[in-house]
Amino acid sequence: MQETWRWFGPNDSISLEKIIQAGASGIVSSLHEIPTGEAWPLDAIQARKKIIEDAGLEWSVIESIPMHNDIKTRTRNFQRYIDNYKESILNAGKAGVKVVCYNFMPVVDWTRTNLMYLLPNASHALRFEMTDFAAYDVYLLQRAGAEADYSPQVMARAKERFDAMSDEEKILLEKNIIAGLPGGEGSYTRDTIRAAIQQFIDLGTEGMREHLFQFLREIIPVAESVGVKMCIHPDDPPFSLFGLPRVVSTADDARKILQAVPSESNGLTLCAGSYGARGDNDLVAMANEFGPRIYFVHLRNVTREEDGSFFEAEHLNGDNDMVGLVNALLCEERRRNKAGESNFCIPMRPDHGHLMGDEIGKADVKPGYSYAGRMKGLAELRGVIHTLETLQKRNSLAL
């Protein structure tokens, strides 16, 4: 597998030199300065690619070309935004960046309630707490009908939690949920997020799914023409928030996406942390079933709780079978190499590392994207990969 690292561009506090020191050979990046919905110019892609290559690295994956909500709702200027998306894909392919990770999440991107969850070892993790989320949804946002989306037990805890919150805690909770996070597509106010939520609720799950399929029917032929592999990222978390529809949360969702547009350019990002936040998603089985169409991997672990809450765990110590997943992906690499895709490697990156050491308290560290935490996770994953590759090679020679 190719070790990659998410880099937020020239203004990222983590330099390309530091990424090389961490051991990665590939970069996962985006042109964050281009507004959502606008086309990526070829010269801008080439310029960013040159910076990366001049440092001795490869721009392995674009994550992501943000998708305007008009595309997801198919309202207002959706066709112009789709045409712009096509132009961006064409230019990415022409520039030689052949893998594009994207998502189809409505309104909010990845969502957490606590960006500084204290762990027993005094480092900090990202956490999604169902009680706090319900408290925000019902008592702060005051979304119509929100109470019906939570169990009586969660509602009781949410009311108690809300009543105990200080004004500062309420402001921080709202900021964490709707003010925009790395990889997100913007920020909302309380009023604007209510309106956006209702629009998607009215659309419904099957309407949302059909809009995704219509997008893919237009985009995938363009991707095919320049050899680009599109790989959709799962919902994070993989269950409904704010009553919103979810269409990339389960193995069945992934199956439907691949069947809707049966092209090699229509693929998946296997995010272990996102899919793995549901206990009914078998990550190893998904890697085995969808292996030929998995083009990018986020190796991230979570510890799940009964009510749907979870926190970002150590890369090897959460509820997900990371060793089994890596083994399945390495087997897929071997299959592709035997089929003629010589020297094929699936790009993977460590994701959402813990905040630790001297980075605690620094304002320029993006939530989930600390240097030390991700380097630690990458080193742990590298050890697993090396061990499994050695065992696979020995078993192959023994045969």
Side-chain angles (χ1 to χ4, degrees):
M1 303 176 78
Q2 184 189 26
E3 297 177 20
T4 68
W5 189 279
R6 189 163 192 183
W7 183 58
F8 292 93
N11 294 325
D12 195 330
S13 61
I14 299 170
S15 66
L16 293 174
E17 181 182 50
K18 287 184 177 180
I19 292 171
I20 291 172
Q21 291 169 357
S25 63
I27 290 295
V28 175
S29 195
S30 180
L31 300 183
H32 298 283
E33 66 275 16
I34 297 179
T36 297
E38 298 306 309
W40 286 18
L42 177 59
D43 59 354
I45 302 172
Q46 290 173 326
R48 185 62 53 83
K49 186 168 181 275
K50 185 175 188 301
I51 292 172
I52 292 168
E53 291 179 343
D54 285 351
L57 293 158
E58 174 189 1
W59 191 354
S60 304
V61 180
I62 290 173
E63 185 181 359
S64 59
I65 302 175
M67 192 180 307
H68 199 282
N69 272 331
D70 285 5
I71 295 176
K72 301 168 190 176
T73 59
R74 292 186 74 84
T75 57
R76 296 182 293 270
N77 296 315
F78 77 90
Q79 192 57 57
R80 180 173 77 85
Y81 291 130
I82 288 178
D83 291 340
N84 287 347
Y85 212 98
K86 291 177 181 177
E87 183 178 346
S88 298
I89 295 299
L90 283 171
N91 288 338
K94 290 175 183 177
V97 188
K98 299 294 187 177
V99 179
V100 176
C101 172
Y102 68 103
N103 79 67
F104 210 75
M105 289 182 248
V107 186
V108 288
D109 205 296
W110 60 277
T111 303
R112 302 292 184 269
T113 57
N114 187 344
L115 309 184
M116 291 288 290
Y117 179 62
L118 184 62
L119 296 171
N121 67 357
S123 62
H124 298 268
L126 304 179
R127 176 175 174 80
F128 178 85
E129 168 59 55
M130 187 63 74
T131 296
D132 284 5
F133 189 86
Y136 175 76
D137 191 14
V138 175
Y139 299 112
L140 265 178
L141 185 62
Q142 298 181 351
R143 177 174 62 88
E147 297 93 334
D149 290 339
Y150 306 98
S151 70
Q153 294 81 4
V154 169
M155 282 301 306
R157 294 197 301 271
K159 181 65 166 64
E160 182 179 357
R161 174 73 179 116
F162 180 76
D163 288 343
M165 280 185 188
S166 66
D167 290 342
E168 291 77 13
E169 287 174 317
K170 292 173 183 176
I171 291 169
L172 180 59
L173 178 62
E174 183 161 60
K175 180 181 177 182
N176 289 346
I177 293 173
I178 71 170
L181 292 167
E185 299 171 15
S187 301
Y188 293 94
T189 66
R190 210 173 290 173
D191 289 334
T192 59
I193 199 172
R194 281 196 208 99
I197 286 168
Q198 191 58 52
Q199 187 176 25
F200 281 97
I201 290 175
D202 293 342
L203 179 60
T205 298
E206 292 312 312
M208 182 81 171
R209 196 188 312 276
E210 181 54 33
H211 287 185
L212 171 58
F213 294 169
Q214 288 175 304
F215 170 75
L216 290 173
R217 291 180 191 121
E218 290 203 54
I219 290 295
I220 294 304
V222 175
E224 288 177 333
S225 72
V226 286
V228 167
K229 300 291 195 296
M230 302 290 295
C231 45
I232 193 165
H233 187 285
D235 303 319
D236 187 6
F239 44 79
S240 180
L241 300 177
F242 298 124
L244 291 165
R246 291 300 215 193
V247 296
V248 198
S249 292
T250 66
D252 191 53
D253 289 336
R255 202 172 291 119
K256 289 176 179 176
I257 291 165
L258 300 182
Q259 291 171 351
V261 183
S263 164
E264 288 188 1
S265 286
N266 180 27
L268 304 174
T269 295
L270 182 55
C271 178
S274 296
Y275 281 123
R278 290 181 66 118
D280 57 350
N281 280 334
D282 185 332
L283 298 179
V284 176
M286 292 175 73
N288 288 330
E289 178 179 355
F290 305 127
R293 303 274 281 279
I294 293 171
Y295 302 128
F296 184 37
V297 179
H298 292 175
L299 293 179
R300 173 167 64 86
N301 220 328
V302 296
T303 295
R304 299 185 296 268
E305 299 172 18
E306 189 174 348
D307 67 353
S309 303
F310 61 88
F311 65 89
E312 313 276 11
E314 299 279 354
H315 281 75
L316 303 184
N317 291 333
D319 288 328
N320 297 330
D321 179 6
M322 197 63 73
V323 174
L325 175 60
V326 170
N327 187 62
L329 293 167
L330 291 175
C331 288
E332 172 59 23
E333 284 187 344
R334 288 169 63 87
R335 185 200 65 78
R336 291 193 210 180
N337 283 316
K338 287 181 180 179
E341 298 182 53
S342 59
N343 299 319
F344 175 81
C345 288
I346 299 173
M348 73 82 173
R349 69 174 177 88
D351 202 8
H352 296 186
H354 291 166
L355 183 65
M356 60 179 64
D358 292 342
E359 289 182 299
I360 296 175
K362 289 188 176 179
D364 61 351
V365 181
K366 293 177 172 62
Y369 291 96
S370 68
Y371 180 64
R374 284 186 289 166
M375 183 165 58
K376 177 175 180 284
L378 184 60
E380 292 170 344
L381 294 167
R382 182 182 300 132
V384 171
I385 292 168
H386 176 76
T387 300
L388 290 173
E389 285 179 333
T390 300
L391 291 173
Q392 287 184 3
K393 183 176 180 180
R394 287 177 181 174
N395 290 338
S396 177
L397 290 174
L399 293 174

